[in-house]
Amino acid sequence: MWVLPISASEKKPLYRQIIQLIEEGIGNGMLNAGERLPSERQLSELLGVNRSTVITALDHLADQGVLLRKTGSGTFVNPEKWGLQAYPVLNWSPPGRVPGRSGLDDYAIRAEALRKKCTLQQLPLLDLGSGNITADLLPEQTFPELSWYTLCAQEQDVENALLGLHSFRHAVQRHLRDTLALEVDLDQILITSGAQQALFLIAQTLLKPGDIIGVESPSYFYLLPIFQASGLRLCALPIDEEGVIPEKLSQLSQKNRLRMIFINPIFQNPTGYVMGPERKKALLQLCRAKQIPIVEDDAYSLLSFDPYTDITPLKKYDRQQQVIYIGSLSKYIGNNIRAGWLVAPKAIINKLANIRQKIDSGLSALPQLLAEHYLINHMAQHTLLLQTQLGARAEQLTRWLAQQYPGEFLVKKPLGGYFLYARFTTATTGSSLNEILFDLLEKHIIVARGDDFGDKKPALRLNYAHFTTAPSR
């Protein structure tokens, strides 16, 4: 039993001791996501305290989102991140489990076993649950001639070490101007080792534990451990086919003090939506009135299948310096060359750069030089190849899914990016969802599930970059 005795001799109130016990039980894995706690009466007997003391502790944890109180059913550990009051866990102690999928449910176990089996036996496997590009779509990139002296000299320059290589920042500045018509000053660009480092710096520098941030529902932001590790509380932002709904955001902001919102407005992960110009302007106007900063992650905007799709960044409409813009190259050249950028007001850039300098003493010059070489010499041609190949694979996967599971999915034709988001029809139950998931595993196909991204409705996210043809067994 995870319950430990409560001591009346301690200075800490009894209900606070109960709160601590439950939080520690969740942190060390003794209490799992979705697990039901003993009843109020049982807890009062086990702990030797009044039932009212137990109720006070449970109500407090329910208010923080740690527990869910269901009338007639009992008290449960919150299986989601939405609304959860998390606590910072960035320390050297072994991390405990946090509410959310543990990765040990039946489907996850079978999927991981299938990966190992296919690797060991060299069997075909389609991992459509991946978020990465496939090897056959990587650029055939030549490497610049670099001397060891050049690399060392670049890294010893103070400005290069703090903000990123001067030449790479120039290349990023030209890239944003030429491809997205986004004009930014050079001192507003900070080079990062990818989008996740940018998000980490924002979470650690501009926010504090307990802050409430808005995240699209569903969104890949929900999947990241960065926010919960920083002690931030996630608020679900309802979206439609154009992204965050301003009216819903306004209502949420009246109930919660949103310190920042995080969005992915162009070919959003996982839904693939594209935010239109009027929605972007309305969102900016609302957030300006509410004094809510916006973080825009732009990972896929150049991967459009239709030249008429509006891929203008939200940052383009920003006149009040209220948007922090994040870009990276991982969706174009893979994860091995970790290079990205963050665009923000100069004061914010310097603040983030100083914190990053204290953490890792600057960035390596080599990945920046390789990324710069790609931007200047390869990206234009390679992007055209990606648009063609990804568009064709998206159509193939859409047709295949309709043929294999007729009437099971509601699918919107992808406009760009990597992902097809297939929502189940209203008639789909949990059992039929599992039947399809396990049938896909029988076909040697792995997918990501909607609830991985905080979706409360059954759905699948499929990476069509990996779909050349269904595996034959």
Side-chain angles (χ1 to χ4, degrees):
M1 176 64 67
W2 63 272
V3 174
L4 298 176
I6 296 293
S7 173
S9 62
E10 285 193 23
K11 294 182 179 180
K12 185 180 294 186
L14 292 175
Y15 83 96
R16 284 287 179 187
Q17 294 183 50
I18 298 173
I19 290 171
Q20 181 178 343
L21 283 175
I22 294 175
E23 288 175 342
E24 289 177 351
I26 294 171
N28 61 29
M30 295 300 291
L31 284 172
N32 296 318
E35 183 172 338
R36 180 179 177 179
L37 271 65
S39 68
E40 296 167 0
R41 180 182 58 78
Q42 289 173 323
L43 280 175
S44 66
E45 292 175 355
L46 287 167
L47 299 172
V49 298
N50 292 330
R51 186 175 176 180
S52 60
T53 304
V54 171
I55 292 174
T56 300
L58 298 182
D59 285 345
H60 176 87
L61 290 170
D63 289 341
Q64 298 300 310
V66 176
L67 301 178
L68 296 177
R69 306 268 269 156
K70 300 180 181 180
T71 303
S73 299
T75 302
F76 301 81
V77 177
N78 191 348
E80 301 178 347
K81 295 180 183 178
W82 297 130
L84 175 66
Q85 172 63 68
Y87 298 89
V89 295
L90 291 177
N91 54 53
W92 291 105
S93 62
R97 294 181 187 174
V98 292
R101 175 175 289 139
S102 65
L104 298 177
D105 60 282
D106 195 22
Y107 175 76
I109 292 172
R110 294 193 193 189
E112 186 58 31
L114 178 61
R115 283 193 185 95
K116 292 179 180 179
K117 175 184 175 181
C118 291
T119 300
L120 292 173
Q121 300 182 20
Q122 297 184 334
L123 299 173
L125 173 69
L126 276 185
D127 192 351
L128 305 185
S130 166
N132 301 322
I133 194 171
T134 51
D136 66 304
L137 293 179
L138 293 174
E140 295 182 5
Q141 179 171 341
T142 59
F143 289 90
E145 293 185 5
L146 300 170
S147 69
W148 191 257
Y149 173 81
T150 301
L151 291 175
C152 292
Q154 293 272 28
E155 291 181 348
Q156 289 173 5
D157 182 271
V158 175
E159 180 182 326
N160 287 348
L162 189 65
L163 300 177
L165 297 186
H166 192 268
S167 61
F168 184 29
R169 286 191 290 132
H170 263 296
V172 170
Q173 184 185 43
R174 292 192 299 270
H175 164 72
L176 295 175
R177 180 193 63 215
D178 296 344
T179 61
L180 298 171
L182 183 58
E183 296 280 356
V184 298
D185 295 336
L186 197 64
D187 60 8
Q188 294 181 329
I189 300 175
L190 173 68
I191 300 303
T192 67
S193 60
Q196 294 224 16
Q197 186 187 64
L199 293 170
F200 173 82
L201 290 173
I202 291 169
Q204 291 295 304
T205 307
L206 305 182
L207 297 165
K208 64 181 184 300
D211 281 350
I212 302 175
I213 61 172
V215 174
E216 298 161 311
S217 175
S219 169
Y220 94 98
F221 290 118
Y222 180 88
L223 190 62
L224 299 177
I226 293 172
F227 300 126
Q228 196 162 18
S230 299
L232 303 176
R233 188 170 181 174
L234 301 187
C235 180
L237 303 180
I239 65 173
D240 59 16
E241 293 186 354
E242 278 201 85
V244 176
I245 305 169
E247 296 78 11
K248 298 290 186 181
L249 173 57
S250 180
Q251 294 170 8
L252 285 170
S253 68
Q254 293 173 7
K255 301 177 182 178
N256 303 282
R257 187 187 177 192
L258 295 175
R259 297 303 302 269
M260 194 173 284
I261 66 171
F262 291 74
I263 64 172
N264 175 206
I266 310 297
F267 309 131
Q268 193 251 13
N269 179 3
T271 67
Y273 83 73
V274 177
M275 185 178 290
E278 296 307 315
R279 178 66 63 86
K280 292 171 186 170
K281 294 174 185 177
L283 183 61
L284 279 169
Q285 183 178 7
L286 173 64
C287 288
R288 182 165 62 249
K290 300 285 187 180
Q291 296 185 321
I292 304 173
I294 303 171
V295 175
E296 175 185 16
D297 186 8
D298 185 10
Y300 310 95
S301 62
L302 300 185
L303 302 177
S304 175
F305 306 152
D306 183 346
Y308 296 104
T309 300
D310 185 357
I311 60 170
T312 306
L314 183 71
K315 183 67 177 175
K316 172 72 175 176
Y317 299 94
D318 181 20
R319 300 290 181 267
Q320 306 295 326
Q321 296 290 317
Q322 63 188 99
V323 177
I324 296 176
Y325 176 87
I326 297 173
S328 74
L329 293 176
S330 63
K331 302 306 178 185
Y332 301 84
I333 59 178
N335 291 327
N336 291 329
I337 301 176
R338 306 294 299 179
W341 48 87
L342 184 150
V343 178
K346 182 178 179 181
I348 297 295
I349 290 295
N350 290 337
K351 188 173 184 179
L352 297 175
N354 287 326
I355 292 296
R356 199 261 305 282
Q357 186 75 358
K358 294 176 182 178
I359 296 173
D360 61 12
S361 301
L363 296 171
S364 171
L366 181 58
Q368 296 181 75
L369 290 170
L370 294 177
E372 176 188 338
H373 185 71
Y374 171 79
L375 277 181
I376 296 172
N377 299 288
H378 297 278
M379 188 165 195
Q381 183 177 358
H382 183 233
T383 299
L384 293 175
L385 171 67
L386 288 176
Q387 291 169 348
T388 301
Q389 289 292 326
L390 290 172
R393 295 181 188 189
E395 289 187 9
Q396 291 171 6
L397 178 57
T398 302
R399 289 197 301 268
W400 181 87
L401 198 64
Q403 292 168 358
Q404 294 293 315
Y405 305 102
E408 294 286 355
F409 294 103
L410 300 172
V411 178
K412 182 181 178 182
K413 181 181 178 181
L415 300 174
Y418 274 18
F419 305 114
L420 182 149
Y421 200 60
R423 292 189 184 277
F424 284 84
T425 59
T426 54
T428 303
T429 64
S431 59
S432 58
L433 167 63
N434 286 332
E435 287 176 5
I436 291 178
L437 286 170
F438 295 140
D439 183 62
L440 286 167
L441 289 181
E442 287 294 321
K443 292 179 169 66
H444 283 202
I445 298 174
I446 296 173
V447 299
R449 292 166 285 178
D451 57 351
D452 290 327
F453 308 95
D455 202 339
K456 295 183 180 297
K457 298 178 181 179
L460 302 180
R461 190 201 73 175
L462 305 99
N463 183 343
Y464 41 75
H466 290 250
F467 191 85
T468 51
T469 182
S472 57
R473 298 177 49 225

